[in-house]
């Protein structure tokens, strides 16, 4: 065998070996990526299936706003952190004016967290005649709060509902709600699911109840009926 032919065969063998090694490396990398995903998935599900956040907003007839709420995490996911630390990931803790630590059972699982009252600067109420308008912003949640890449790149936060996450705002207006740019309303109450309403401006309009006016209208109606009925009674 001549030297050039020998070197050519050796080169082909090395190239083939390099190709096989490269393919093997790609398979290993993909397997490692898959294994990493499978390892992260239970952790993600553990973290996301144990979060309960509710904020209650009450608007008075004088346009005063009161804000309170609660935040709970399953005790199994807190480890070295506290519910307050986790809460601070997406909520301005400086808004809190009063807090009370609390623990409770939710669906048979032990939860730790706290109830709070908050400074209402994030909510603006405006009275105009018989109507009350409330305006506030809902922040845009992203991977800083919930890493959804492990679920296949799904950027839809509502997917977290399937794992038990609850994040809602309930608004109580001083009268029947006429319109709202987000959420669902019935009577005086508006409910917004933050996993379905992400990064938007909310405006709620209601008609202010005035019992004195309603009573006067009722009395006036009775008086009119009495006047109409009087001639018939005389006959």
């Amino acid at each position: 065998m001549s030297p050039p032919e020998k070197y050519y065969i050796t080169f082909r063998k090395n190239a083939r070996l390099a190709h096989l090694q490269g393919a093997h490396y790609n398979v290993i990398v993909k397997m490692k990526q898959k294994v990493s995903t499978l390892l992260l998935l239970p952790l993600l599900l553990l973290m996301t299936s144990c979060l309960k956040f509710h904020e209650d907003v009450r608007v008075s007839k004088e346009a005063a706003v009161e804000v309170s709420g609660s935040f709970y995490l399953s005790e199994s996911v807190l480890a070295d952190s506290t519910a307050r630390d986790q809460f601070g990931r997406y909520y301005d803790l400086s808004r809190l004016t009063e807090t009370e630590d609390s623990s409770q059972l939710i669906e048979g699982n032990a939860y730790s967290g706290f109830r709070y009252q908050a400074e209402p600067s994030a909510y603006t109420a405006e009275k105009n005649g018989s109507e009350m308008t409330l305006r506030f912003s809902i922040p845009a949640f992203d991977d800083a709060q919930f890493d959804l890449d492990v679920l296949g790149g799904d950027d839809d936060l509502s997917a977290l509902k399937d794992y038990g996450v609850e994040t809602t705002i309930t608004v109580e207006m001083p009268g029947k709600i006429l319109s709202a740019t987000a959420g669902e309303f019935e009577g005086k109450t508006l409910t917004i699911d933050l996993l379905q309403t992400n990064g938007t401006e909310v405006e709620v309009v209601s008609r202010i109840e005035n019992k004195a006016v309603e009573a006067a209208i009722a009395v006036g109606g009775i008086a009119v009926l009495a006047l109409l009925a009087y001639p018939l009674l005389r006959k």
Side-chain angles (χ1 to χ4, degrees):
M1 183 181 294
S2 62
E5 184 178 356
K6 178 180 179 181
Y7 294 147
Y8 175 71
I9 293 175
T10 302
F11 173 77
R12 290 190 61 184
K13 286 182 178 180
N14 291 340
R16 179 61 178 169
L17 180 61
H19 174 74
L20 292 174
Q21 288 176 339
H24 181 64
Y25 173 77
N26 289 334
V27 170
I28 291 176
V29 169
K30 290 181 180 179
M31 287 182 65
K32 285 184 177 180
Q33 290 175 342
K34 188 173 182 180
V35 169
S36 297
T37 300
L38 292 175
L39 290 176
L40 286 173
L41 185 57
L43 177 61
L44 177 71
L45 299 185
L46 181 66
M47 291 298 294
T48 58
S49 63
C50 306
L51 188 155
K52 311 291 182 183
F53 166 63
H54 301 281
E55 183 155 288
D56 298 308
V57 182
R58 294 178 177 81
V59 183
S60 72
K61 295 178 182 179
E62 292 75 30
V65 181
E66 295 182 356
V67 180
S68 61
S70 63
F71 181 83
Y72 289 95
L73 284 173
S74 173
E75 292 181 356
S76 61
V77 304
L78 288 177
D80 296 331
S81 65
T82 66
R84 199 181 306 270
D85 294 334
Q86 297 295 328
F87 188 62
R89 293 177 62 191
Y90 65 95
Y91 196 102
D92 182 5
L93 293 177
S94 65
R95 285 180 54 203
L96 303 183
T97 57
E98 294 183 26
T99 62
E100 179 184 358
D101 292 337
S102 175
S103 298
Q104 61 175 296
L105 285 176
I106 302 177
E107 299 174 352
N109 298 315
Y111 281 72
S112 288
F114 60 95
R115 296 185 179 91
Y116 67 86
Q117 292 184 356
E119 199 275 326
S121 59
Y123 299 88
T124 303
E126 180 181 352
K127 184 178 180 180
N128 185 13
S130 62
E131 291 188 354
M132 181 72 70
T133 301
L134 179 71
R135 298 182 180 89
F136 59 97
S137 300
I138 294 178
F141 294 100
D142 53 30
D143 282 351
Q145 290 81 29
F146 300 107
D147 185 1
L148 301 180
D149 291 339
V150 75
L151 293 179
D154 187 355
D155 293 328
D156 187 1
L157 286 174
S158 62
L160 294 175
K161 291 175 64 68
D162 296 334
Y163 303 104
V165 175
E166 295 179 10
T167 56
T168 60
I169 294 178
T170 301
V171 177
E172 191 77 15
M173 297 295 285
K176 184 178 180 179
I177 296 177
L178 305 177
S179 64
T181 57
E184 299 180 356
F185 62 88
E186 182 178 355
K188 303 179 184 179
T189 305
L190 167 70
T191 302
I192 299 176
D193 187 337
L194 298 180
L195 296 181
Q196 294 179 331
T197 307
N198 188 26
T200 187
E201 299 293 323
V202 181
E203 180 178 280
V204 191
V205 180
S206 74
R207 178 175 289 113
I208 303 172
E209 291 183 345
N210 192 324
K211 293 184 179 180
V213 173
E214 293 175 356
I217 292 175
V219 171
I222 293 174
V224 170
L225 290 175
L227 289 174
L228 293 175
Y230 181 71
L232 295 176
L233 292 175
R234 288 190 62 185
K235 290 181 180 181

